[in-house]
Amino acid sequence: MLAPTKSEQASYTVAPLSRTLMVIEVVLPIVLLVLGIYHGFLQALYRAGIIHSGSFAGLNYYQGLTLHGVINAVVLTTFFGVVFGNALISYYLRKALIPAVHLTSTSMMVGGTLIAAVPMLLGKADVLYTFYPPLKAHPAFYIGAALLVVGSWVAFFGWIPLVRQWMRENPSHPLPLAIVGILVTFLIWFLCTIPLAIEVLFMLIPWSLGWVEAINIPLARTLFWFFGHPLVYFWLLPAYIVYYVMLPRVAGGKLYSPYAARLAFLLFLVLSIPVGLHHQYTEPGFDRFWKGVHALLTFGVAIPSFITAFTVAASLEYAGVRRGAKGLFGWMAKLPWLDAERPIFAYSIAGLIIFIFGGITGIVNASYNLNQTIHNTGFISGHFHMTVGGPVFLIILGMSLELFSQLTGKPIRGRGWNIAVPYLWMLGIFIFSPAMMYGGLLGQPRRTNMGLSYLDPSSPHFRADWVPSAMLTGIGAAVMTLAFLVYLGVWIATIAGPATRPAGEISFPTAEGLHPEVSMASIVARLRPWVVIALLLIAVSYWEPLRQAFRTPEKALPYEPDNPTPALQVRK
Ligand code: HAS
């Protein structure tokens, strides 16, 4: 056990109703993840030419890819954001969650997930996680997704009175860093899901119900990416909370700069939304000027990650030196890489190392001219498996297990196996993603329903130069799947084991600052000015692109499954 620091408090006992709801919020997405990972593995085997179209456990290619994307990128991440937020609010503010709000939020999220699952499993919603028109889903898919999102809003709204109460009780203290982190995460989430709600409620649902014949495609896509890029920071910021608040402590050191940590979160609030056009560089209908503005702001949103890279590395170096390290890089060897009692270190460091490469490839994507080469190729899949599939996924895995253990009082079993998971996953990612990216540079498409044809020497589509990267993609995915199976084994052993502690006692390792905590007078101790700047920047950067999308005459007609090229079903 680590000796408590000044900034650490005693554990906080969650009320029985909230405890039960939080166990559901942790366990349900992990159960669904089995399906999500399985379909990811099948995708890779299909791309490697090992299985054929129609072999997706009875599902088609798009159905399997939709299950993979929606479960891994939307359901898992949203549930984790909410349950992690519930735990942070309880522990750091020492306040009970409001029971009616908590019950409503969990019921909506679980209900929405189950409602959306039915059409996905029946093949009535093969629209991928981006659900671009003219791909059209059954209305239940959109309604279920809307319920999931609104349920997460309800959780957030339930935290606000507790935060305000804490601020009244502690007028001379800035909010704890973890609370700033989770509030910024959900402010971004709330702001960016408003355009999504408009797209779903006023465009997709009426279209899918047949109330309107056609909808405006560029507008739907622009509203989606208004949501779609900040979404990635909604995924990432819970990991950053762990890196700033907990990792320096489990590494045996201190947080190098509490000021820099707060600044990084606040810069995300300002810069993560007005960048969505970088997903639409290749789309006609928008002035190049506005694409350029979003490109510039995209470079801006990398800055808080650079701040994080420096601050977290400095904190880890401090920890290594405290443990007796010498020389420029000696600190790395002294870190607790294999400490099975503090698995969150292994889950964090593996994610951080992967993210160095995920981040660099993001900068490549953001560069307007380089994007022309890699857009819609395997390079993009390589990038996002090193971001959402790196730090985000590993922190969700590590922290979900930790939360389950604390909520049920059952210690994690198979601890040695548990810390093997992030390193095995990292190995898999470092085979999978470079292979995908190299294939992408050779022109391999990001999604392909062509199956074996390009790997089959007798086919006119055969591409001999794509074979090695396609094979390596399959090998990388096999290693990643193995890591997940080990993780599942640890879960099963933990569930089967006895409870040895009282259930529902939450506590998080919390690092002290190496430099002093910020004062209440500091600009980074306040949220409101940053929200105002964020709103202004969104208005300036999106007003004209939205107007341009609104004016476009392109409309999506109802999708016909027999037509293999839905993009052609566009009426001018
Ligand atoms: Fe991205 C596409 C640009 C970050 C996810 N991105 C995607 C898609 C996803 C995704 C899912 O500009 C595909 C969407 C789709 O379906 O079409 N992305 C960026 C940029 C960043 C970035 C500039 N992306 C993310 C994160 C994601 C994510 C984070 C998920 C969580 N991305 C793009 C662009 C596209 C795109 C274009 C569209 C491309 C197209 O054409 O379609 C930046 O935020 C990245 C900044 C990060 C860094 C890295 C900092 C490094 C750190 C680690 C330090 C390590 C330490 C350890 C301290 C600059 C913090 C040291 C210790 C040792 C022992 C070594």
Side-chain angles (χ1 to χ4, degrees):
M1 272 308 266
L2 297 165
T5 65
K6 271 188 285 174
S7 46
E8 247 158 23
Q9 340 183 37
S11 60
Y12 176 85
T13 306
V14 179
L17 174 67
S18 278
R19 191 179 70 219
T20 309
L21 294 173
M22 284 164 75
V23 170
I24 295 171
E25 289 160 3
V26 173
V27 173
L28 177 72
I30 296 290
V31 172
L32 292 175
L33 190 58
V34 176
L35 201 60
I37 292 279
Y38 173 63
H39 277 285
F41 186 40
L42 291 188
Q43 290 292 326
L45 292 185
Y46 175 67
R47 291 185 77 100
I50 295 166
I51 63 166
H52 304 255
S53 187
S55 310
F56 290 85
L59 312 182
N60 70 46
Y61 170 83
Y62 280 99
Q63 205 175 351
L65 191 50
T66 303
L67 281 168
H68 175 57
V70 170
I71 293 174
N72 296 18
V74 181
V75 176
L76 176 74
T77 51
T78 308
F79 270 92
F80 179 74
V82 167
V83 71
F84 192 43
N86 283 335
L88 295 176
I89 292 281
S90 309
Y91 177 67
Y92 285 101
L93 301 186
R94 311 198 81 69
K95 306 243 171 266
L97 300 167
I98 304 165
V101 176
H102 196 179
L103 187 61
T104 310
S105 133
T106 315
S107 312
M108 288 178 82
M109 289 173 60
V110 173
T113 303
L114 298 179
I115 290 171
V118 175
M120 279 196 287
L121 290 170
L122 293 177
K124 304 266 181 223
D126 303 344
V127 290
L128 312 177
Y129 92 106
T130 40
F131 44 85
Y132 276 174
L135 294 176
K136 191 202 273 183
H138 188 278
F141 172 81
Y142 303 117
I143 293 168
L147 273 174
L148 172 66
V149 170
V150 178
S152 68
W153 286 358
V154 172
F156 173 47
F157 297 154
W159 302 337
I160 293 171
L162 306 179
V163 171
R164 293 173 74 92
Q165 191 187 349
W166 188 94
M167 287 165 74
R168 280 195 301 275
E169 291 163 1
N170 299 274
S172 56
H173 288 90
L175 279 168
L177 180 59
I179 300 300
V180 173
I182 201 71
L183 288 181
V184 167
T185 307
F186 274 80
L187 275 167
I188 293 175
W189 177 240
F190 179 62
L191 289 176
C192 79
T193 41
I194 294 173
L196 181 77
I198 295 173
E199 183 200 357
V200 169
L201 291 180
F202 299 109
M203 299 177 77
L204 298 180
I205 292 181
W207 179 55
S208 140
L209 285 168
W211 295 346
V212 292
E213 188 209 351
I215 58 171
N216 180 330
I217 300 177
L219 182 61
R221 290 167 75 109
T222 309
L223 289 171
F224 180 84
W225 286 119
F226 195 135
F227 152 80
H229 196 79
L231 168 71
V232 312
Y233 299 109
F234 171 71
W235 298 338
L236 183 70
L237 293 195
Y240 273 25
I241 296 174
V242 174
Y243 297 159
Y244 277 122
V245 176
M246 300 166 200
L247 177 65
R249 170 84 175 109
V250 288
K254 295 186 178 186
L255 170 60
Y256 181 74
S257 167
Y259 186 98
R262 284 171 193 267
L263 180 66
F265 284 120
L266 295 167
L267 286 177
F268 274 119
L269 177 57
V270 169
L271 290 165
S272 64
I273 299 179
V275 294
L277 281 194
H278 72 222
H279 292 267
Q280 297 173 278
Y281 286 156
T282 53
E283 289 183 24
F286 303 103
D287 280 353
R288 268 177 302 174
F289 174 78
W290 289 104
K291 290 180 182 174
V293 168
H294 281 233
L296 207 64
L297 290 167
T298 305
F299 290 118
V301 78
I303 291 173
S305 283
F306 282 123
I307 294 177
T308 305
F310 174 79
T311 313
V312 174
S315 309
L316 293 177
E317 188 206 11
Y318 177 79
V321 171
R322 252 185 148 189
R323 289 163 168 267
K326 301 261 182 304
L328 195 56
F329 297 111
W331 57 274
M332 290 188 193
K334 289 284 179 187
L335 296 174
W337 296 85
L338 297 177
D339 188 342
E341 295 305 308
R342 298 178 226 175
I344 215 62
F345 183 86
Y347 279 94
S348 299
I349 197 80
L352 279 165
I353 293 172
I354 297 172
F355 193 47
I356 296 174
F357 303 93
I360 293 168
T361 49
I363 308 236
V364 171
N365 300 346
S367 310
Y368 200 104
N369 48 352
L370 293 181
N371 185 274
Q372 309 299 310
T373 309
I374 47 86
H375 181 65
N376 264 343
T377 71
F379 191 94
I380 303 297
S381 320
H383 159 68
F384 68 70
H385 281 87
M386 294 194 297
T387 50
V388 61
V392 173
F393 187 66
L394 286 177
I395 287 298
I396 293 181
L397 293 193
M399 209 22 105
S400 295
L401 195 56
E402 182 64 39
L403 281 175
F404 178 80
S405 166
Q406 297 191 6
L407 290 166
T408 56
K410 293 176 178 232
I412 298 172
R413 285 159 65 100
R415 284 183 174 265
W417 290 104
N418 188 25
I419 57 160
V421 171
Y423 299 125
L424 201 53
W425 181 266
M426 180 168 75
L427 175 69
I429 285 277
F430 280 152
I431 301 172
F432 176 91
S433 277
M436 270 275 182
M437 288 188 299
Y438 184 65
L441 291 175
L442 297 176
Q444 232 176 66
R446 168 185 170 159
R447 307 181 181 97
T448 173
N449 202 10
M450 287 166 69
L452 274 180
S453 61
Y454 63 69
L455 300 174
D456 175 3
S458 64
S459 158
H461 302 297
F462 178 59
R463 289 286 304 260
D465 56 337
W466 290 5
V467 174
S469 56
M471 290 300 167
L472 279 172
T473 301
I475 294 171
V479 177
M480 289 153 75
T481 308
L482 180 64
F484 184 69
L485 289 177
V486 176
Y487 176 74
L488 269 190
V490 175
W491 260 92
I492 292 167
T494 303
I495 292 174
T500 56
R501 298 187 303 256
E505 285 193 357
I506 298 185
S507 84
F508 294 112
T510 306
E512 284 177 68
L514 182 59
H515 293 102
E517 185 48 286
V518 301
S519 79
M520 281 305 280
S522 169
I523 184 71
V524 297
R526 281 174 285 161
L527 266 176
R528 206 165 291 168
W530 300 87
V531 175
V532 173
I533 302 172
L535 291 175
L536 285 175
L537 207 53
I538 292 170
V540 171
S541 61
Y542 259 115
W543 176 258
E544 189 54 28
L546 277 173
R547 211 174 63 84
Q548 291 175 357
F550 201 76
R551 279 193 320 203
T552 172
E554 292 180 6
K555 302 273 190 250
L557 294 171
Y559 174 58
E560 290 162 19
D562 294 340
N563 183 344
T565 48
L568 298 180
Q569 298 182 339
V570 167
R571 184 180 64 190
K572 284 266 186 189

